[in-house]
């Protein structure tokens, strides 16, 4: 039975987290196995979808550790190709960052790699493949890392919700082949035709009226930007990209969740018993539920007070942003603004030669990582980056190993982030403290854009 685009896009879901016990000192690392699997991604009645998964599920297991604890996992590669794991948003030891060619060698089929690192920040993070990530993340190689506060807020449910899209054949429910199509690489990326939450179409989480939920939203899509809103719930943003906001911000209308970004919300269910509360995404032809919460019964007679802010993480102080050196990163290329030329592997090539190599984008006139770092910093230095988008498409720029703050037009500092969305024709300036030694990737998290040239790096010597 054929599946319409509307049916593909109208999915909703919410599933409870699976906790992983903290590891004791001296304990051998638990396995995290990357292997082929199959999963019921499309609605019941369709075939199960062949995926690549961590420990047999998409997303992989929810790893929960206390703030100040350690993550210790032995990646076992049971795939037919090389792979690696990047721990996204974690201010991590450089050797554990999981970037082949920069911080480690890729793990061959049948091989393993031990990841062992401390987590100093509480919050919502995630892990995913960083080897041929446009394909491997799309196939399902991603999961959730929750670092728990010593005193978490009072809740009825703590729900990680991984939002994703899939490009499936409507007849077979299998991933459509071709993860490096020229059109996807040079345009908006590989956009899917089915939206899932936690790897499934239209599951549900039963709640009660006036229940208080923590929704840990993660955009694991390789290209899609989700405008997210609430229906039948009152909510507050309490953290972005794992970092607590100074004060909760009430959700009014839709907010943007770009690829790789996270948003923690505390929401109170206001829908009546027998009704349904929803997390929605706003498409061109209307709003669609992406997380459905059927309401059964009532938790309390009255609604609770607005939440308090979460305790801050031990982030560096930014004393005088205006005094920091400014580095411009100009994005060029893509459809309708084609590259005339760029440097690739030390050689200057024209646009046609670049396209023949699958390269359509450049950062400061360079496609792919240059031999020299974009920033060469000493530990503790403060630096500014101006992301200048001279293309016709938005880009979600992600810096490994650090967080930064946007400098707004008024000069104020925005919230801490590790991924910032730079809309076409816009310039966004951020400021960071280079306090984590190592070589760190800086790239667009529209993963097709990174594959097609939008990747650089910084060095903290």
């Amino acid at each position: 039975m054929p599946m319409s685009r509307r049916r593909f896009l109208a999915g909703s879901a919410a599933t409870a987290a699976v906790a992983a016990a903290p590891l004791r000192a001296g304990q051998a690392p638990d396995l995290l196995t990357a292997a082929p699997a199959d999963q019921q991604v499309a609605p019941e009645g369709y075939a199960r979808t062949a995926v690549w998964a961590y420990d047999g599920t998409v997303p992989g297991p929810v790893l929960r550790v206390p703030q100040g604890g350690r993550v210790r996992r032995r990646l076992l590669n049971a795939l037919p190709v090389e792979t690696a794991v990047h721990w996204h948003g974690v201010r991590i030891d450089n050797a554990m960052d999981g970037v082949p060619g920069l911080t480690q060698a890729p793990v061959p089929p049948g091989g393993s790699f031990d990841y062992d690192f401390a987590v100093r920040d509480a919050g919502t993070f995630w892990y995913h493949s960083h080897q041929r990530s446009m394909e491997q993340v799309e196939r399902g190689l991603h999961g959730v890392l929750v670092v728990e506060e010593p005193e978490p807020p009072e809740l009825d449910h703590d729900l990680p919700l991984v939002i994703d899209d899939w490009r499936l054949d409507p007849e077979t429910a299998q991933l459509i082949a071709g993860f490096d199509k020229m059109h996807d690489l040079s345009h908006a990326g590989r956009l899917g035709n089915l939206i899932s939450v936690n790897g499934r179409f239209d599951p549900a989480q039963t709640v009660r009226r006036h229940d208080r939920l923590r929704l840990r939203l993660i955009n694991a899509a390789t290209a899609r930007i989700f405008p997210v809103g609430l229906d039948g719930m009152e909510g507050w943003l309490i953290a972005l990209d794992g970092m607590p906001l100074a004060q909760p911000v009430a959700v009014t209308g839709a907010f943007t969740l770009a690829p790789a970004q996270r948003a923690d919300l505390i929401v109170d269910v206001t829908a009546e018993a027998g009704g349904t509360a929803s997390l929605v995404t706003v498409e061109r032809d209307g709003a669609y539920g992406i997380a459905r919460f059927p309401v059964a019964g009532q938790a309390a007679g009255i609604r609770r007070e607005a939440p308090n802010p979460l305790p801050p993480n031990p982030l560096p102080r930014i004393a005088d942003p205006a005094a920091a050196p400014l580095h411009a990163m100009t994005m060029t290329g893509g459809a309708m603004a084609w590259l005339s030329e760029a440097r690739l592997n030390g050689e200057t090539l024209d646009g046609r030669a670049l396209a023949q190599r699958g390269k359509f984008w450049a950062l400061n006139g360079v496609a792919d990582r240059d031999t020299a770092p974009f920033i060469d910093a000493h530990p503790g230095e403060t630096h500014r980056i101006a992301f200048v988008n001279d293309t016709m498409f938005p880009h979600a720029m992600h810096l490994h190993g650090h967080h930064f703050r946007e400098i707004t037009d008024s000069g104020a500092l925005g919230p801490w982030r590790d991924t910032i969305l730079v809309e076409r024709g816009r310039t966004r300036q951020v400021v960071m403290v280079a306090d984590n030694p190592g070589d760190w990737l800086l790239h667009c998290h529209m993963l097709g854009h990174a594959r097609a040239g939008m990747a650089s790096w910084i060095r903290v010597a």
Side-chain angles (χ1 to χ4, degrees), residues 341-349 354 362 364-368 370-372:
E341 65 175 31
R343 193 166 71 252
L344 176 67
N345 299 326
E347 182 183 3
T348 299
L349 302 174
L354 289 164
N364 286 356
V366 180
D368 287 351
D370 204 353
T371 54

Side-chain angles (χ1 to χ4, degrees), residues 99-449:
V99 180
L102 192 64
T103 69
Q104 70 167 91
V107 181
S112 66
F113 186 91
D114 286 358
Y115 293 97
D116 185 350
F117 55 90
V119 284
R120 47 182 160 169
D121 301 319
T124 302
F125 307 97
W126 65 305
Y127 58 96
H128 62 80
S129 170
H130 225 296
Q131 172 72 3
R132 293 188 59 85
S133 55
M134 181 183 180
E135 175 181 357
Q136 295 195 11
V137 174
E138 172 72 6
R139 287 184 181 272
L141 288 175
H142 53 78
V144 181
L145 172 61
V146 172
V147 183
E148 297 180 318
E149 301 91 358
E151 296 183 9
E154 181 181 342
L155 303 165
D156 296 297
H157 299 278
D158 184 330
L159 302 173
L161 301 178
V162 180
I163 309 172
D164 199 0
D165 69 346
W166 304 74
R167 185 180 292 182
L168 301 183
D169 185 318
E171 299 293 337
T172 66
Q174 300 308 305
L175 283 162
I176 295 174
F179 295 92
D180 54 359
K181 291 184 177 180
M182 183 178 295
H183 182 277
D184 294 339
L185 296 179
S186 61
H187 287 69
R190 182 181 166 105
L191 298 172
N193 54 6
L194 180 145
I195 294 174
S196 70
V197 172
N198 290 349
R200 285 171 172 79
F201 179 94
D202 202 29
Q205 170 76 38
T206 300
V207 297
R208 300 168 299 175
R209 188 165 190 253
H210 298 323
D211 266 352
R212 174 157 284 188
L213 319 177
R214 181 173 183 167
L215 306 182
R216 300 176 181 266
L217 308 183
I218 300 170
N219 183 351
T222 62
R224 184 180 293 276
I225 301 167
F226 291 101
V228 179
L230 301 173
D231 181 51
M233 295 184 286
E234 177 185 40
W236 299 264
L237 284 163
I238 59 168
L240 293 171
D241 289 353
M243 297 302 159
L245 300 179
Q247 292 294 329
V249 176
V251 176
T252 57
F255 61 91
T256 299
L257 200 65
Q261 290 185 332
R262 287 91 65 217
D264 284 47
L265 287 77
I266 285 183
V267 302
D268 292 337
V269 178
T270 57
E272 299 286 345
T276 300
S278 299
L279 190 76
V280 302
T281 182
V282 182
E283 305 292 332
R284 291 180 178 179
D285 52 352
Y288 294 89
I290 58 173
R292 179 165 54 96
F293 303 92
V295 181
Q298 185 158 309
I302 59 173
R303 290 155 62 180
R304 309 182 203 196
E305 295 182 354
N308 293 319
L310 297 172
N313 283 320
L315 291 158
R317 180 173 176 266
I318 299 175
D320 187 5
L326 177 63
H327 312 265
M329 175 169 278
T330 301
M331 314 169 198
T332 52
M336 298 174 283
W338 299 102
L339 286 175
S340 58
E341 65 175 31
R343 193 166 71 252
L344 176 67
N345 299 326
E347 182 183 3
T348 299
L349 302 174
D350 63 23
R352 180 182 295 274
L354 289 164
Q356 290 172 345
R357 292 163 173 79
K359 305 300 176 184
F360 300 95
W361 309 89
L363 300 174
N364 286 356
V366 180
D368 287 351
R369 293 198 306 265
D370 204 353
T371 54
F374 169 63
I375 297 175
D376 196 345
H378 293 289
E381 289 181 346
T382 302
H383 289 263
R384 290 179 293 158
I385 303 172
F387 294 109
V388 183
N389 187 350
D390 282 348
T391 80
M392 300 300 291
F393 296 89
H395 302 287
M397 300 304 296
H398 170 52
L399 175 61
H400 288 216
H402 297 76
H403 278 67
F404 49 71
R405 300 182 72 176
E406 182 176 8
I407 303 175
T408 65
D409 293 341
S410 67
L413 295 182
W416 290 96
R417 306 297 303 246
D418 62 53
T419 306
I420 186 169
L421 182 65
V422 187
E423 298 87 349
R424 67 179 186 177
R426 292 288 304 275
T427 295
R428 291 193 177 275
Q429 188 179 141
V430 304
V431 60
M432 59 164 289
V433 177
D435 64 345
N436 198 355
D439 294 343
W440 300 103
L441 197 65
L442 173 59
H443 67 102
C444 180
H445 224 282
M446 276 75 168
L447 295 177
H449 296 171

Side-chain angles (χ1 to χ4, degrees), residues 1 3 7 40-48 200-202:
M1 121 180 126
M3 187 181 302
R7 283 199 63 196
Q40 191 66 47
V41 177
E44 295 294 335
Y46 290 85
R48 294 172 68 86
R200 285 171 172 79
F201 179 94
D202 202 29

